[in-house]
Amino acid sequence: MTFPAQFLWGAATSAYQYEGAATADGKKPSVQDAVSDLFKTASDGYHHAEEDVALMAELGLRAYRFSVAWSRIYPDGVTLNPAGLAYYQHLLDLLEAAHITPVVTLYHFDLPQALAEAGGWANRDTIAAYQRFAHTVFEAFGTRVTYYQTVNEQNMLLMMSLKQALAGQGTVQDALQGNHHLFVAGALAIQDAHAHFPHILIGPAPNLVAVYPLSPKPEDALAANTYDALRNLLFSDMAGFGRYNPTALAVLAAAGITLNVTEEDRAVLAQARPDLLYFNYYNSEVVTAASGPLPFRKVPNPETPQTAYGWDIDPLGLRITLRQLWDRYRLPLMITENGLGAQDALEGGAVHDQARIAYLRAHLQQVGQAIDEGIHVVGYNVWSAIDLVSTHDGFEKRYGLVYVAQDAARTRTRKDSFAWYQGVIASDGETLN
Ligand code: BG6
């Protein structure tokens, strides 16, 4: 397999999971700060920019994907905080000097708390707040940043608000209306970028899974098809076609959900064609037919190994996903996250994360084969560049190529996967053959 010379070999972090410094330089809380105290310090990336970019340079990274903490830039959702921008400007300086291409996510799960208190995404006004934030970032970063994601994993955000609604916090209707507002916000950011910053390559970054039916029964195939529509196509069709996936809409209508979609919304969504489709891939899922409010049920896959956290490990599912996306949308693709969460042990100054190496190698081999098949893949980002706080499992579950100790200095140690990925990048993927 041959990777193109300009392939973006990258690794990623997100602001609230990595930066810490939750109240530094004018930052106010995001919704994540209320979830766990771990985010107060996290990996203390905010105070380790020099050290971490030096590690990335040593690793040979061609790209670093990070997110901008909205609540640093607009702490109360309305008032600009120049000190927040200054942190990212400095980071961009460091990346430029190290010849590392920045890949910037505008919004990664961390809505400013002030906006959440004003109704969050269910409130249509949040669209304008996001537009202001996105425009400020485009303007401040100028031509230094080409690659942007509008929203990280909008489908996981919806899942979170649906879970909250089922637990009595908010309603399912509001969760889905909020999801619609977020679609419009992302589309407006794409339009803004295209109108005023023509160098920008922008798109959303949903979390996609390969979906399989449990058996050859047509009922299971139909269940898989319906699940795929809600789990994946609702989000990727909005990006690729600028409209709602009809199956997903039909399931929502059958559940009594009617979205308030204005004519103007429809026009905005239809006109905002992304330049790239970014996506995060971790696993595949298996479903079987079920009776009840939803016509499917997720079941374990008897054929795939699992991570210690119960996620199916399925590199072929990544190739299947790449094929499906390319076939359906003909948009260049970038994998913005892929990686293995594990309880790494620091022993004698080393972390022997062989399972992570095996996971990354197997997935990258499938990316290489997809490229050989003619699929346009622009880049691949390991989740994560540096250890950070997992969204669901705290600091116990680690993803990094670099270990971060829980001491006061947040001491960094290169894991075995660091040297391995360094070799892959230095050989332009040759060592994967
Ligand atoms: C994605 C997110 O859902 O997966 C990341 O974009 C997250 O923020 C990653 O950390 C892995 O999930 P988790 O729960 O294992 O941290």
Side-chain angles (χ1 to χ4, degrees):
M1 79 197 88
T2 315
F3 285 82
Q6 65 279 18
F7 190 72
L8 289 173
W9 299 96
T13 62
S14 92
Y16 79 93
Q17 294 174 274
Y18 163 72
E19 288 175 3
T23 54
D25 301 326
K27 181 182 178 299
K28 291 213 165 116
S30 80
V31 291
Q32 294 297 339
D33 293 309
V35 171
S36 163
D37 274 353
L38 286 171
F39 298 129
K40 283 192 179 137
T41 314
S43 312
D44 200 24
Y46 198 76
H47 299 114
H48 285 76
E50 278 78 8
E51 185 182 349
D52 287 350
V53 174
L55 281 164
M56 291 176 205
E58 181 186 329
L59 180 57
L61 282 191
R62 310 264 167 84
Y64 170 45
R65 173 190 180 228
F66 61 93
S67 76
V68 178
W70 187 344
S71 59
R72 284 196 197 288
I73 313 301
Y74 283 100
D76 62 5
V78 181
T79 322
L80 179 65
N81 174 38
L85 275 176
Y87 162 71
Y88 296 104
Q89 299 281 19
H90 178 56
L91 179 61
L92 290 177
D93 289 343
L94 295 171
L95 292 172
E96 202 170 313
H99 307 292
I100 298 172
T101 302
V103 174
V104 174
T105 304
L106 289 167
Y107 170 42
H108 192 127
F109 299 166
D110 54 354
L111 186 71
Q113 180 65 27
L115 294 176
E117 282 164 16
W121 284 106
N123 180 351
R124 212 171 241 277
D125 294 345
T126 305
I127 299 176
Y130 175 86
Q131 269 184 282
R132 188 167 46 232
F133 164 57
H135 190 82
T136 300
V137 172
F138 296 152
E139 203 151 56
F141 294 178
T143 52
R144 307 173 89 191
V145 177
T146 298
Y147 298 98
Y148 278 100
Q149 293 86 59
T150 50
V151 185
N152 179 72
E153 297 194 350
Q154 183 170 339
N155 43 356
M156 295 303 104
L157 273 170
L158 174 60
M159 209 98 91
M160 289 179 221
S161 26
L162 287 174
K163 271 190 191 153
Q164 284 170 350
L166 294 177
Q169 249 185 293
T171 65
V172 170
Q173 172 71 38
D174 273 359
L176 284 150
Q177 187 62 38
N179 183 63
H180 172 69
H181 293 156
L182 188 45
F183 276 142
V184 175
L188 285 167
I190 292 175
Q191 283 191 350
D192 183 22
H194 289 163
H196 302 110
F197 310 94
H199 69 283
I200 287 179
L201 298 173
I202 186 167
N207 171 305
L208 301 178
V209 292
V211 178
Y212 309 136
L214 178 63
S215 77
K217 279 191 221 152
E219 289 79 4
D220 279 353
L222 184 69
N225 187 268
T226 309
Y227 180 70
D228 190 34
L230 285 170
R231 172 68 175 73
N232 297 318
L233 301 178
L234 174 59
F235 301 89
S236 56
D237 275 6
M238 189 55 85
F241 299 140
R243 51 128 175 96
Y244 275 93
N245 173 273
T247 305
L249 268 192
V251 175
L252 295 183
I257 307 288
T258 345
L259 298 173
N260 172 15
V261 181
T262 66
E263 273 317 305
E264 201 185 334
D265 290 349
R266 245 184 268 281
V268 166
L269 294 171
Q271 281 157 24
R273 183 157 168 88
D275 306 286
L276 256 95
L277 185 51
Y278 302 92
F279 70 101
N280 300 345
Y281 176 88
Y282 287 91
N283 59 290
S284 55
E285 291 178 350
V286 175
V287 293
T288 186
S291 49
L294 292 170
F296 50 77
R297 186 164 48 86
K298 275 205 283 175
V299 287
N301 187 339
E303 303 296 336
T304 51
Q306 292 194 334
T307 73
Y309 290 86
W311 298 21
D312 289 343
I313 301 177
D314 183 8
L316 290 181
L318 175 55
R319 173 125 143 261
I320 293 166
T321 303
L322 285 163
R323 281 183 179 177
Q324 288 173 338
L325 294 175
W326 180 243
D327 189 37
R328 199 169 169 97
Y329 308 116
R330 273 297 184 281
L331 281 167
L333 303 166
M334 187 193 290
I335 297 140
T336 29
E337 286 180 29
N338 175 239
L340 177 74
Q343 295 195 357
D344 297 333
L346 179 64
E347 288 160 339
V351 179
H352 303 302
D353 55 344
Q354 292 307 313
R356 178 166 299 107
I357 294 173
Y359 178 102
L360 296 174
R361 179 191 289 119
H363 284 78
L364 269 169
Q365 283 171 337
Q366 294 306 317
V367 175
Q369 295 203 42
I371 292 171
D372 285 350
E373 289 174 5
I375 299 176
H376 188 178
V377 188
V378 173
Y380 168 94
N381 295 276
V382 173
W383 185 263
S384 53
I386 312 267
D387 273 350
L388 36 69
V389 186
S390 143
T391 301
H392 299 99
D393 300 288
F395 236 127
E396 295 311 308
K397 183 194 207 179
R398 294 165 178 273
Y399 284 89
L401 301 166
V402 174
Y403 185 91
V404 176
Q406 294 304 285
D407 55 10
R410 290 289 193 271
T411 307
R412 272 72 169 142
T413 304
R414 296 161 189 78
K415 299 183 194 176
D416 287 357
S417 56
F418 181 97
W420 173 81
Y421 196 40
Q422 191 179 41
V424 172
I425 300 174
S427 73
D428 279 320
E430 266 304 308
T431 55
L432 296 167
N433 282 310

